[in-house]
Amino acid sequence: MRKRIALPVFASDALSSVAYAPQEILVILSLAGASFYAYSPWVALAVVVVMLTVVASYRQNVHAYPSGGGDYEIATTNLGSNAGLTVASALMVDYVLTVAVSVANGVDYVGATIPFVGQHKTAVAVGIVVLLTVVNLRGIRESGAAFAVPTYAFMAAVLGLIAWGGFRSLVLGEQIQAPSADFTIKPEQTDLTAFAAAFLILRAFSTGCAALTGVEAISNGVPAFRKPKGKNAATTLLMMGLVAISMFSGIIALGLASGVKVAEPSVVAEDLLRPDGTPVGPGYYQQPIISQVADAVFGGGSMPFVVISAATALILFLAANTAFNGFPVLGAILAQDRFLPRQLHTRGDRLAFSNGIVILALGACLLLWGFDADVSRLLNLYIVGVFVSFTLSQTGMVIHWTRRLRTETEPRVRHQMHRSRTINAFGAIMTGLVLIVVLLTKFLVGAWIVVIVMPVLFLMMKGIRRHYDNVAAELEIAEDDEPTLLPARNHAIVLVSKIHKPTMRALAYARVTRPSTLEAVTVGVEGDDARRLREEWERLGIPVPLKMLDSPYREITQPVLDYVKTLRRRSPRDVVTVFIPEYVVGHWWEHLLHNQSALRLKARLLFKPGVMVTSVPWQLHSSDRLKGRPEPSAPGSVRRPAQQSDDEGRVSAS
């Protein structure tokens, strides 16, 4: 891809964070009242410094790893498997939160123009996740144009909003006023000590660092760029960083200039006060910051206002959709490395990793439902995983450059490596400090959930890998192993409950396999039924001996297991083959009415060494899915004409 196409493809997640990161800084500062908004420019400046540091650091990543390994490969290669799994667990949590946060905030912007959506946020958000899931399960073909149009539309809308708002305010000297400018905020915390005030400002800073989410996306997609891949990816990363910083800073500046007032959604009805001092009440819908700024600059309900809100919502839903592409691929890579179940590496009929898509959707819906699609509460979980992967990736890059310097002798190349290592080392220190701040300021308000989930995922992946390794070691054929010996004899058992067509088919199939011995086995639960079964058996002259097992406790499974054990005990080198007649039904509810005893027995027999279980199916009419089509003939058989009589049909069936 060219850079102009790669930018919207890989930058949608990073740019979309501008829609909520500036607002969340003001939301946290509002806990101490609107007077603390004076600290927001300094908080925004600190976020910009971190963003520049991360962009500069990841530019070194794309030069060093043009294969597009991303944070997982960098951490695994340079820090070991445990570090790689830590990054993988952080990324999996981040993908789920990306869907939840982006969809929740997108619904906020839709609610700015459609009140019904704002009143039913959670249900609408879950519905959108379900829609994205269905679309991705059906299979979609990504194209640069499909991503470029909404991303460039969002960039043009926000940058145009900033430019026109700045022109009106700075050049024309006009007063721009947000819908909430006349409101006041009732502070939840007053008379803060210096330590408490600093803690609140640090919490606002850690929340604002949500603007950095998605910066690493370009390092994962370097192979998609045109040659020279590393250089083009680094240039695109720099362009993305500059655009994101411009939009982030501009929205903060216009928000303060227009007097935007925002509070946490859970308390906005009580803490946001009208000019007369009364609370806005539960009927008030708090518009997100970009919508409020657009209202101040262009007027509420105007065409530019609607376009900006729509473009913002669209880029947020697009950012959520990128997670539907990233999470299943990461799950497939981990499954291929045997850290996750192999089912995650299986593609569906639409060539999508369907299992990963479903897991991602379930996790996102659970978060949206549990947190009422509240962006402020969800962001408390979001930042931890982001900066865990940032920190480990940059630390791995420091080790990468150190290793390369041991073998490189050319002075010019060594100078470049020293510079890259310095940038990555500064990035590791900076992101590590931010991670500490995030953990300290957000642990009690939700980050503890991620702190628990990530180790659980880590241990789960280690356990899965250990299981697969143990199974592989147990199944591997060693050079000193003796060749597998053929069994001495094959004892065949056909389980019989009554004499009907499935039983006769099972007996016929067992006979055609030519076992060493063959007998039919039934469990005598009811004395009268057992006697009638034996009489019918002898009357029909079935050429297979029938053995009756006693069951004093009216239980079927255990007598069969005991009898199989007895056969195995007599001759351990023999095998026992158990033939089980089963019905094949066509409707889900019919499964509840048939084959339950067979399922229980098969489940128990699978754990018995030297025992083979063979299911002999009998298809009932409800299982015929090919209505109106002729059934294929069995090999060597001759099909009768379709207009045969009922009598001929019964003879043929028998």
Side-chain angles (χ1 to χ4, degrees), residues 227-258:
K227 295 181 179 180
K229 297 179 182 295
K231 180 180 178 181
N232 287 333
T235 303
T236 306
L237 184 58
L238 179 61
M239 293 165 54
M240 180 194 71
L242 294 177
V243 171
I245 289 171
S246 299
M247 293 196 298
F248 176 81
S249 304
I251 292 299
I252 282 282
L254 282 180
L256 294 176
S258 61

Side-chain angles (χ1 to χ4, degrees), residues 154-463:
F154 172 71
M155 292 166 56
V158 174
L159 292 176
L161 169 66
I162 294 170
W164 182 244
F167 179 78
R168 285 188 57 189
S169 180
L170 300 177
V171 178
L172 301 180
E174 297 179 0
Q175 180 71 29
I176 57 175
Q177 190 171 6
S180 58
D182 294 333
F183 294 169
T184 57
I185 298 176
K186 181 174 67 176
E188 294 186 10
Q189 303 172 10
T190 57
D191 299 328
L192 294 176
T193 64
F195 176 80
F199 185 85
L200 185 65
I201 294 171
L202 286 176
R203 183 180 167 190
F205 162 73
S206 63
T207 302
C209 285
L212 278 73
T213 57
V215 171
E216 77 286 352
I218 289 179
S219 68
N220 298 332
V222 179
F225 285 82
R226 288 193 171 186
K227 295 181 179 180
K229 297 179 182 295
K231 180 180 178 181
N232 287 333
T235 303
T236 306
L237 184 58
L238 179 61
M239 293 165 54
M240 180 194 71
L242 294 177
V243 171
I245 289 171
S246 299
M247 293 196 298
F248 176 81
S249 304
I251 292 299
I252 282 282
L254 282 180
L256 294 176
S258 61
V260 168
K261 303 293 191 308
V262 287
E264 286 188 313
S266 58
V267 297
V268 65
E270 294 80 18
D271 289 0
L272 201 60
L273 307 179
R274 299 184 185 277
D276 59 1
T278 60
V280 295
Y284 174 77
Y285 178 74
Q286 179 173 262
Q287 293 185 1
I289 188 169
I290 293 181
S291 293
Q292 291 206 42
V293 171
D295 190 312
V297 174
F298 296 110
S302 64
M303 182 57 66
F305 171 84
V306 175
V307 169
I308 290 172
S309 297
T312 305
L314 186 59
I315 192 68
L316 286 163
F317 297 147
L318 187 62
N321 192 69
T322 59
F324 277 94
N325 300 319
F327 181 91
V329 173
L330 175 63
I333 294 173
L334 291 169
Q336 191 173 17
D337 293 342
R338 297 184 294 179
F339 288 113
L340 285 178
R342 292 172 180 170
Q343 289 86 341
L344 291 176
H345 189 60
T346 303
R347 293 184 184 269
D349 57 354
R350 298 282 178 161
L351 299 183
F353 295 111
S354 305
N355 295 324
I357 291 172
V358 172
I359 291 173
L360 174 65
L362 289 176
C365 289
L366 183 63
L367 285 174
L368 289 169
W369 175 75
F371 288 85
D372 296 325
D374 187 337
V375 177
S376 299
R377 295 170 61 194
L378 288 169
L379 281 179
N380 292 327
L381 285 67
Y382 198 11
I383 318 298
V384 177
V386 173
F387 280 92
V388 167
S389 58
F390 282 172
T391 304
L392 289 176
S393 173
Q394 298 312 304
T395 304
M397 288 301 301
V398 173
I399 296 175
H400 167 80
W401 296 123
T402 302
R403 186 185 300 116
R404 289 281 305 277
L405 282 168
R406 293 172 184 166
T407 58
E408 185 60 54
T409 57
E410 186 178 346
R412 183 182 62 84
V413 178
R414 286 183 60 86
H415 173 72
Q416 293 176 349
M417 289 182 179
H418 276 294
R419 184 190 64 184
S420 298
R421 184 174 67 171
T422 301
I423 294 174
N424 286 128
F426 182 74
I429 294 172
M430 179 71 76
T431 54
L433 290 174
V434 174
L435 177 61
I436 294 173
V437 171
V438 169
L439 290 174
L440 290 176
T441 58
K442 293 186 173 295
F443 184 82
L444 296 178
V445 292
W448 61 270
I449 298 176
V450 178
V451 173
I452 293 175
V453 170
M454 283 180 54
V456 169
L457 288 174
F458 177 89
L459 295 175
M460 180 191 72
M461 289 189 287
K462 294 283 285 186

Side-chain angles (χ1 to χ4, degrees), residues 509-533:
Y509 180 68
R511 292 176 63 191
V512 83
T513 61
R514 300 185 182 278
S516 303
T517 62
L518 173 61
E519 60 181 343
V521 174
T522 186
V523 180
V525 177
E526 296 286 349
D528 293 340
D529 291 343
R531 186 181 67 256
R532 283 193 294 267
L533 176 63

Side-chain angles (χ1 to χ4, degrees), residues 491-507:
H491 298 285
I493 298 174
V494 179
L495 298 184
V496 176
S497 60
K498 61 178 64 176
I499 300 176
H500 48 26
K501 292 178 180 179
T503 298
M504 302 307 292
R505 173 174 287 183
L507 288 169

Side-chain angles (χ1 to χ4, degrees), residues 17 58 82 246 283 289 530 557 629:
S17 60
Y58 272 90
N82 288 338
S246 299
I289 188 169
T557 304
R629 300 184 186 179

